[in-house]
Amino acid sequence: MAAVAERVAGVPLSRPGRFAALVVIGPQGARDTVSRMMRSLGAREVVQAGTIEEARRRARLLGPHALCVTDVVLPDGSGVALLRDLRALGWQRGVVVSTMDDAYTVRGALTAGVRCFLVSGRPAASPTDHGSRGLAEQLSEREVEVLQHVANGRSNKEIGAALGLSALTVKSHLARIARKVGTGDRAEMVMLSLRAGVIH
């Protein structure tokens, strides 16, 4: 793995054996690999989760002083959105592991307060994993059209004009997309949809 972006100012480093880690990655094999890495770095406790919902439950037990390591894309949404939620609960340490190093992904992670963004040489999840298939199956044809226009940088009004919809209807579509994707941030929506192969 190689660090792509890092923001560590004001974050005290834990001494070996003094930190707990929450590892949130969909595929069990990749989750076990990262968990072993955390233990080798001195984690006294490593807790695993395969979905955002499971991670939220485990996070309550660990408390805000733990380190969260998550994949960008999880079976039920965005790992970046998860870190943003945890940050609101007082978590100060978040690391994203991804096979992508595109600007959308890195910017979304840093905006959410991620302290470190790592690019893995091997995918944490393949393009045909459950999360990618699930997203493609959940979105309607109209929602995919809206997402494609969002990816092209168009406003709600412009999208509405292109599709023969009102700006309010476009906003409703985006709200439904946000629930399915797991984030209301337009850049994250696009990034997750691109990775899932929903848009191009």
Side-chain angles (χ1 to χ4, degrees):
M1 295 183 182
V4 172
E6 196 168 67
R7 187 187 291 173
V8 296
V11 180
L13 298 176
S14 298
R15 289 182 296 174
R18 299 293 184 185
F19 72 98
L22 173 61
V23 176
V24 191
I25 296 175
Q28 183 68 56
R31 193 159 67 240
D32 289 340
T33 297
V34 174
S35 295
R36 284 194 297 272
M37 184 183 301
M38 290 297 101
R39 291 188 186 94
S40 72
L41 292 173
R44 60 176 167 74
E45 181 180 7
V46 178
V47 175
Q48 295 188 6
T51 65
I52 291 174
E53 192 56 42
E54 185 181 6
R56 286 174 176 148
R57 291 196 302 270
R58 303 272 167 102
R60 292 190 201 104
L61 300 175
L62 278 179
H65 299 296
L67 166 70
C68 181
V69 181
T70 181
D71 191 6
V72 171
V73 178
L74 296 166
D76 54 346
S78 164
V80 172
L82 169 65
L83 289 180
R84 184 183 294 116
D85 292 346
L86 291 179
R87 188 170 176 78
L89 295 174
W91 288 59
Q92 295 298 312
R93 296 171 183 157
V95 174
V96 168
V97 178
S98 176
T99 57
M100 303 182 297
D101 60 356
D102 61 276
Y104 280 128
T105 306
V106 176
R107 186 183 72 176
L110 294 181
T111 299
V114 172
R115 299 301 179 185
C116 186
F117 188 103
L118 301 174
V119 174
S120 171
R122 286 171 50 188
S126 72
T128 57
D129 70 6
H130 170 74
S132 297
R133 288 198 309 272
L135 182 57
E137 291 168 358
Q138 288 179 60
L139 296 171
S140 70
E141 186 176 331
R142 178 62 84 184
E143 288 166 346
V144 172
E145 288 179 321
V146 170
L147 269 171
Q148 189 64 63
H149 284 290
V150 171
N152 292 335
R154 292 181 175 163
S155 67
N156 289 4
K157 185 176 180 180
E158 291 169 332
I159 295 170
L163 298 178
L165 305 171
S166 70
L168 186 58
T169 300
V170 172
K171 186 176 179 181
S172 295
H173 280 304
L174 286 170
R176 285 193 293 274
I177 292 168
R179 286 194 294 273
K180 294 175 182 179
V181 174
T183 177
D185 181 84
R186 291 169 87 99
E188 284 181 51
M189 281 182 185
V190 170
M191 177 268 295
L192 292 168
S193 301
L194 284 169
R195 181 170 185 183
V198 173
I199 58 175
H200 305 285

